[in-house]
Every structure is written in structure tokens, then in C-alpha cells.
Amino acid sequence: MSTVTETYSENGTDTKTPNKRAFASLGYTKEGTHELVNALNNLLANYSVHYQKLRNYHWNVKGQDFFDIHEQFEKQYNEAKLAIDEIAERIRVFGRTPLSTMKDYLEISDIKETGTDLKAMEMVKEILDDYQILIEFMYNAIDVAIENGDMGTEDMVKGFVYETEKNHWMMTSFATEE
């Protein structure tokens, strides 16, 4: 599992954020805030690459299952887009700056890009693999949130788990040969 780590100056403050006191007003320790933001940025990076893969597949899927898969990919990238926004905004709650470039995402994401030339079922299998990776990062974020008493992050990510598990089940059912 790849991870990102925030950078700090000699005095231990976040070098990217002018509002150094934001975390203190929420009652989280500096270390706890650091752990939470790292876990969320790692989830954000993986979700962002996953989102772009879904768009790629939505645009480029071909074959007899085109209409079903095309529609599912669109539904799922719209869900991913909302999750990405919630994660980034949650990071801002802590007074930190979320990762926000594809370069940053690709450097730390365990989910990797693919080309446009995959067959429809290869695309589905790629997305199923992505769900496994996303769930791992979601569980990590939940664990970090629980360790730091952060019910807001815990509740948010648990909602992502529910949707991801449901999407995994649906795609698995679609991909299963009788």
C-alpha cells in the first residue's frame, strides 16, 4: 500500500497551510491531524485514479454489453466524483490542503491507469480490482479515524464502504459466467 506523508518545517508545522491552529480548534492533536490527513490523502489519490479509469472505460467500452456497462461506469464515476469532493473537503476541515494534481495522485496511488484498448470484461475486472484497493484504504482511514476519535471521518468513509461493497457485488454478478 503506497502512502503520502505531509511535509513539515523545522518547527513541526505544516508547510503548505497558513492556518496552523485549525486542527487545535477541533480538539485533535497535531499528530492525530497528521495521521488523519495522510489517510484521507491516500484515499483521495486512489479514488481520483479510479474515477479517471471509470471515465476512460465509460467513453471507450465496446461490444455487446456496451449499453449496460457504459451506463454503470457513468453511475459509478458520478458516485466517485462526489466521494472525492467529500474527502477533499474533509481534509480542508483540518486546515490542510488536499492533494489535487494527477501527478500527485499517480505517484502515491496503488490504483494504476490502463489504456483504452481493453475488452469490456477486462475493464470490469480492473474496476473490481480497484474496489479491493479502495476498500483497503477506506478501512485504513476508518481505523485512523477511530484511533483519533474522529467520528466525522469515520461516518463519511463508512458510507463509501457501503457504496463500494454494493458496486463490487453488482459488477461481480455481471462478470460471473453461469
Side-chain angles (χ1 to χ4, degrees), residues 129-163:
D129 290 345
D130 288 1
Y131 289 146
Q132 299 278 11
I133 294 168
L134 283 170
I135 288 287
E136 185 178 330
F137 280 97
M138 288 175 193
Y139 288 164
N140 180 62
I142 290 168
D143 288 345
V144 171
I146 290 169
E147 289 169 13
N148 288 284
D150 179 5
M151 292 186 340
T153 297
E154 179 187 351
D155 288 346
M156 177 187 74
V157 178
K158 282 181 176 179
F160 302 153
V161 168
Y162 172 81
E163 287 302 320

Side-chain angles (χ1 to χ4, degrees), residues 13-51:
T13 58
D14 177 359
T15 59
K16 295 181 182 177
T17 306
N19 184 0
K20 312 284 190 277
R21 299 170 87 27
F23 67 89
S25 66
L26 293 173
Y28 300 105
T29 65
K30 182 185 201 176
E31 181 181 313
T33 300
H34 176 74
E35 291 171 0
L36 288 161
V37 170
N38 284 341
L40 289 170
N41 264 324
N42 284 305
L43 180 56
L44 177 64
N46 279 278
Y47 241 127
S48 295
V49 177
H50 171 70
Y51 166 80

Side-chain angles (χ1 to χ4, degrees), residues 31-141:
E31 181 181 313
T33 300
H34 176 74
E35 291 171 0
L36 288 161
V37 170
N38 284 341
L40 289 170
N41 264 324
N42 284 305
L43 180 56
L44 177 64
N46 279 278
Y47 241 127
S48 295
V49 177
H50 171 70
Y51 166 80
Q52 191 56 43
K53 273 175 83 171
L54 285 164
R55 292 198 53 129
N56 170 10
Y57 295 168
H58 169 75
W59 294 328
N60 295 300
V61 68
K62 297 180 256 189
Q64 66 187 31
D65 295 319
F66 169 81
F67 289 105
D68 293 331
I69 298 173
H70 178 78
E71 186 176 310
Q72 267 309 305
F73 288 153
E74 181 175 13
K75 176 187 168 290
Q76 291 179 27
Y77 77 64
N78 282 324
E79 287 175 11
K81 177 176 62 175
L82 295 174
I84 289 165
D85 193 52
E86 286 186 52
I87 295 164
E89 288 177 352
R90 186 69 187 165
I91 292 168
R92 295 298 301 155
V93 164
F94 294 106
R96 302 296 167 87
T97 303
L99 296 177
S100 57
T101 68
M102 284 306 293
K103 180 180 183 274
D104 290 340
Y105 298 149
L106 290 167
E107 283 178 9
I108 68 165
S109 178
D110 284 12
I111 295 175
K112 302 301 178 198
E113 292 182 303
T114 63
T116 60
D117 58 345
L118 292 141
K119 292 180 177 12
M121 289 313 290
E122 291 173 322
M123 290 177 178
V124 170
K125 288 179 179 164
E126 276 285 324
I127 296 304
L128 286 170
D129 290 345
D130 288 1
Y131 289 146
Q132 299 278 11
I133 294 168
L134 283 170
I135 288 287
E136 185 178 330
F137 280 97
M138 288 175 193
Y139 288 164
N140 180 62

